[in-house]
């Protein structure tokens, strides 16, 4: 299954590179004011679903664009292009992300960033690799030395838990923040130690299914902002594990301030 996943995600990455050559012609639709979907997203997911269905007809699938197909104990979670806005703007920060669950537990994950030439993979109890080389989270323990990622893409103008508040609360305690526009990329960069943590509200299952396994197999930790298991909805925190508890304290202090104000 691991090799099959590698084959299809490599092909999918190539498909996005072809669409990238004709960006000015790309058909783009708006799912909401900030959420885009392109013909590339749809075609890549269609390709992946067709391949998986042919090889594993009994498996379930949850794809961002096509939704859910119920199956046996296996479920493939697909984000055909994570970072569509980056993709549409010609930036390299997007990837194809696929996680495989067995009986509710992530067992395989891969994310392909084709422009950057980076393929991240993980297997339950088999460690994480980037382009075949083992990766580990950073050893950084001090928040003041840590670089974190987040995203403002999820924030709607009417949303109460504005990420600006979390940003304000964390920014003075850490070294710096990065916004690369792809949840999967933020996860993979936590896994390989290039970032020390990543927080975001309103994360979808396909955004982080593969990333979660890649992080945990590289020695990191994922949860929601309260420190409980992230259950595929709501807020999400991923770290090198060493700064996790301190971040939870800070995030909760911000949340309390927001709640008291409202
Ligand atoms: C988005 C990206 C972005 C994150 C959004 C996601 P998409 O995924 O991962 O970084 O902030 O919450 O929806 O729409 O490009 O697949
Ligand atoms: Ca996504
Ligand atoms: Ca997507």
């Amino acid at each position: 299954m691991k090799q099959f996943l590698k084959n299809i995600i490599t092909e999918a990455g190539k498909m996005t590179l072809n669409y990238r050559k004709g960006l000015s012609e790309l058909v783009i639709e708006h799912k909401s004011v900030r959420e885009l979907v392109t013909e590339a997203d749809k075609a890549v997911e269609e390709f992946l679903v067709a391949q998986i269905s042919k090889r594993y007809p009994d498996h379930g699938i949850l794809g961002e664009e096509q939704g859910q197909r119920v199956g046996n104990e296996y479920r493939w979670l697909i984000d055909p292009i994570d970072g569509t806005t980056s993709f549409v703007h010609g930036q390299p920060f997007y990837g194809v992300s696929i996680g495989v669950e067995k009986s509710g537990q992530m067992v395989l994950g891969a994310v392909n960033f084709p422009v950057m030439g980076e393929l991240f993979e993980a297997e339950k109890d088999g460690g994480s690799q980037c382009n075949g080389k083992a990766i580990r989270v950073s050893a950084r323990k001090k928040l003041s030395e840590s670089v974190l990622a987040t995203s403002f893409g999820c924030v709607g103008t009417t949303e109460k838990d504005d990420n600006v508040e979390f940003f304000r609360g964390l920014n003075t305690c850490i070294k710096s923040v990065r916004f690369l526009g792809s949840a999967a990329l933020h996860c993979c960069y936590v896994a390989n130690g290039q970032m020390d943590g990543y927080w975001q509200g309103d994360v979808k299952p396909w955004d982080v299914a593969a990333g979660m396994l890649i992080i945990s197999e590289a020695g990191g930790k994922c949860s929601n902002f309260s420190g409980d298991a992230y259950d595929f909805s709501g807020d999400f925190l991923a770290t090198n594990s060493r700064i996790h508890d301190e971040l939870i304290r800070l995030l909760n202090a911000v949340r309390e301030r927001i709640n008291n104000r409202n």
Side-chain angles (χ1 to χ4, degrees):
M1 198 183 285
K2 196 178 175 190
Q3 188 57 46
F4 170 75
L5 171 56
K6 187 174 178 171
N7 294 346
I8 60 170
I9 207 166
T10 303
E11 267 320 298
K14 286 183 194 157
M15 284 176 74
T16 69
L17 293 177
N18 279 332
Y19 279 105
R20 201 170 181 262
K21 286 180 197 154
L23 277 184
S24 56
E25 311 297 318
L26 202 68
V27 179
I28 302 169
E29 292 163 43
H30 280 262
K31 290 200 256 188
S32 66
V33 185
R34 290 193 177 186
E35 270 185 304
L36 308 175
V37 60
T38 74
E39 58 177 308
D41 299 71
K42 290 180 182 175
V44 169
E45 187 163 318
E46 223 163 86
F47 162 78
L48 291 169
V49 169
Q51 294 296 312
I52 296 161
S53 305
K54 203 163 122 194
R55 180 72 169 256
Y56 302 108
D58 298 338
H59 288 192
I61 296 177
L62 176 63
E64 179 177 10
E65 312 305 340
Q66 292 189 11
Q68 175 106 287
R69 186 187 80 189
V70 177
N72 63 10
E73 74 270 33
Y74 284 95
R75 185 166 73 141
W76 296 66
L77 294 103
I78 303 171
D79 194 333
I81 297 183
D82 183 61
T84 299
T85 301
S86 306
F87 175 72
V88 165
H89 286 257
Q91 297 163 6
F93 313 117
Y94 74 87
V96 183
S97 175
I98 306 176
V100 185
E101 240 181 23
K102 186 183 179 193
S103 306
Q105 196 182 38
M106 294 305 306
V107 289
L108 265 185
V111 189
N112 182 12
F113 301 103
V115 181
M116 298 186 284
E118 288 181 323
L119 174 65
F120 289 82
E121 294 171 279
E123 189 172 10
K124 178 95 190 101
D125 301 324
S128 294
Q129 302 84 35
C130 177
N131 293 345
K133 258 182 76 184
I135 53 169
R136 292 296 294 172
V137 292
S138 73
R140 233 161 255 116
K141 286 193 183 117
K142 287 192 185 163
L143 219 46
S144 58
E145 294 173 1
S146 296
V147 172
L148 266 59
T150 192
S151 171
F152 289 89
C154 60
V155 181
T157 45
T158 56
E159 207 154 329
K160 260 202 279 169
D161 276 6
D162 195 326
N163 198 27
V164 171
E165 299 286 344
F166 289 107
F167 175 75
R168 198 175 285 135
L170 297 188
N171 192 36
T172 50
C173 309
I174 63 181
K175 188 175 177 191
S176 193
V177 183
R178 297 288 180 269
F179 319 99
L180 299 183
S182 160
L185 185 59
H186 291 156
C187 287
C188 289
Y189 281 5
V190 170
N192 74 2
Q194 288 181 20
M195 288 179 181
D196 307 297
Y198 161 47
W199 87 89
Q200 192 188 317
D202 192 23
V203 166
K204 301 288 189 298
W206 44 80
D207 291 326
V208 295
M212 279 169 69
L213 185 66
I214 293 168
I215 288 173
S216 63
E217 286 295 320
K221 193 170 175 180
C222 302
S223 74
N224 62 19
F225 286 1
S226 307
D228 300 321
Y230 167 73
D231 61 0
F232 281 153
S233 77
D235 44 60
F236 178 76
L237 173 68
T239 69
N240 63 4
S241 84
R242 292 156 177 100
I243 59 170
H244 207 88
D245 292 348
E246 210 176 337
L247 275 174
I248 282 175
R249 257 195 310 107
L250 287 170
L251 288 165
N252 280 304
V254 175
R255 177 159 282 162
E256 224 175 289
R257 275 205 297 278
I258 293 171
N259 289 341
N260 287 340
R261 198 187 51 202
N262 291 319

